[in-house]
Amino acid sequence: MKQAVLDFMARACAMEAEAAERYAELAEQMWAFHNREVAKLFGKLARIEGLHRDQILEKMGWTEAPDPSAFRWETPEGPETTDYGELHYLMQARHALELALHNERRAAEYYERLSEADIPEDIRREAAEMAEEEREHVRLIEVWLAKTPDPDARWDEDLDPPVSVD
Ligand code: ZN
């Protein structure tokens, strides 16, 4: 297999592994904030990206994904990895969805560029398929964003504080 193809598969594998991990984290946070619907959406996306990762591993005969530092999620504002702990819990759903949307778009664009690049035909086809799947994720998240209202000016005032039950 050519080096360019190996590089492509390694990066794709790292991207999918990173996405699966981030979605699992976001799902856990949404559960902690009792946002069941968004938690389920992220859980579903974590499974899909995990399947993508496993498909690539199997195809390549690899036992584990390449170093995830080859591809990191970034915030819409810049390449820093988000410190999720700093997000206010009332902002969580919208913020998390925007973060996911940003990274799904990046993934879709990466695969789109590759699908048009001067590389072997079978890899281009593979990239085109991945691009289509990532665009589908973008659409899923857009639907959810449309259902998630903008935080109003008083978004950080908790009108219904959690009550301790112990
Ligand atoms: Zn995706």
Side-chain angles (χ1 to χ4, degrees):
M1 202 173 280
K2 283 192 186 143
Q3 189 58 41
V5 177
L6 277 170
D7 289 347
F8 164 76
M9 295 309 272
R11 182 168 158 118
C13 198
M15 282 172 70
E16 301 300 328
E18 169 84 356
E21 241 171 75
R22 294 292 154 256
Y23 280 128
E25 275 176 28
L26 291 175
E28 230 170 82
Q29 286 201 329
M30 289 299 128
W31 282 117
F33 297 133
H34 309 290
N35 193 333
R36 296 180 40 138
E37 288 182 305
V38 178
K40 282 185 188 166
L41 172 74
F42 286 145
K44 185 175 155 188
L45 286 165
R47 282 191 299 278
I48 296 172
E49 311 285 14
L51 280 175
H52 283 168
R53 176 202 54 214
D54 294 344
Q55 281 165 9
I56 296 170
L57 289 176
E58 204 187 280
K59 178 175 287 185
M60 302 304 290
W62 293 338
T63 48
E64 58 183 46
D67 180 4
S69 66
F71 181 85
R72 293 232 80 109
W73 266 33
E74 59 181 37
T75 62
E77 294 79 32
E80 304 280 303
T81 333
T82 302
D83 181 353
Y84 299 108
E86 285 183 1
L87 302 179
H88 191 287
Y89 79 95
L90 291 177
M91 284 284 284
Q92 281 291 324
R94 184 148 197 108
H95 222 117
L97 285 163
E98 276 169 359
L99 182 71
L101 182 66
H102 175 78
N103 287 283
E104 291 299 328
R105 282 187 174 143
R106 276 175 79 209
E109 279 163 20
Y110 172 71
Y111 290 124
E112 265 162 33
R113 267 200 310 277
L114 266 154
S115 70
E116 291 158 6
D118 185 19
I119 53 173
E121 173 64 24
D122 52 335
I123 301 297
R124 258 186 305 176
R125 256 203 313 272
E126 194 104 28
E129 252 172 60
M130 298 288 257
E132 180 48 40
E133 290 193 40
E134 298 304 342
R135 279 194 296 269
E136 181 57 33
H137 299 171
V138 169
R139 281 191 289 272
L140 259 175
I141 293 165
E142 278 172 346
V143 166
W144 271 99
L145 263 175
K147 287 194 233 175
T148 308
D150 276 324
D152 63 28
R154 295 160 66 197
W155 63 267
D156 59 348
E157 260 175 58
D158 194 340
L159 300 177
D160 184 20
V163 177
S164 173
V165 287
D166 52 38

